[in-house]
Amino acid sequence: QISTLIYTGPEFDYNFKKQNIQTNWALNASLHYMIPNSHHFIGIENNLRMEKGYVEYIMRPQIKVGILHNFAIGIVSGIPIKSKNFDLDFMTRIIWEPTF
């Protein structure tokens, strides 16, 4: 089972000292393989951001491991493919999935 997500749009940065606004653009797309009969997945998220004509691209491999029926742990790393000021990073997420 494959899951995808694409979200995009403008980002507005307002500088209070200079009283000006800058518009940046973001495009984030992800592709995840949902492991059958579980709450686990493995996938990749691609983050593209355009600011003042410069394109930044960060690739984020990730996994989600189900702990309980509605709690999971997400493990994500950020790998800069094209970036001026972004280093390799790593983070974990606590994921709560409410059931109704």
Side-chain angles (χ1 to χ4, degrees):
Q1 190 178 32
I2 301 292
S3 172
T4 61
L5 174 68
I6 296 174
Y7 62 95
T8 186
E11 298 174 347
F12 303 103
D13 289 336
Y14 183 76
N15 185 319
F16 287 95
K17 287 184 180 180
K18 296 179 182 178
Q19 294 186 349
N20 69 345
I21 193 163
Q22 177 181 322
T23 304
N24 305 318
W25 292 89
L27 171 67
N28 299 321
S30 62
L31 178 69
H32 295 105
Y33 172 70
M34 311 299 287
I35 298 172
N37 303 317
S38 74
H39 291 282
H40 313 312
F41 70 63
I42 185 167
I44 190 155
E45 182 176 319
N46 296 286
N47 303 134
L48 287 121
R49 187 168 187 269
M50 187 192 308
E51 179 178 337
K52 296 181 182 175
Y54 178 76
V55 176
E56 180 178 73
Y57 174 32
I58 310 297
M59 184 171 39
R60 298 186 183 280
Q62 50 194 275
I63 62 171
K64 181 182 106 176
V65 179
I67 305 297
L68 298 171
H69 73 281
N70 63 342
F71 277 100
I73 299 292
I75 302 169
V76 182
S77 64
I79 302 168
I81 304 300
K82 182 180 179 191
S83 179
K84 291 180 185 175
N85 51 7
F86 185 88
D87 294 324
L88 184 69
D89 73 354
F90 176 82
M91 72 173 177
T92 58
R93 301 175 181 162
I94 297 175
I95 303 165
W96 175 54
E97 299 170 328
T99 54
F100 297 101

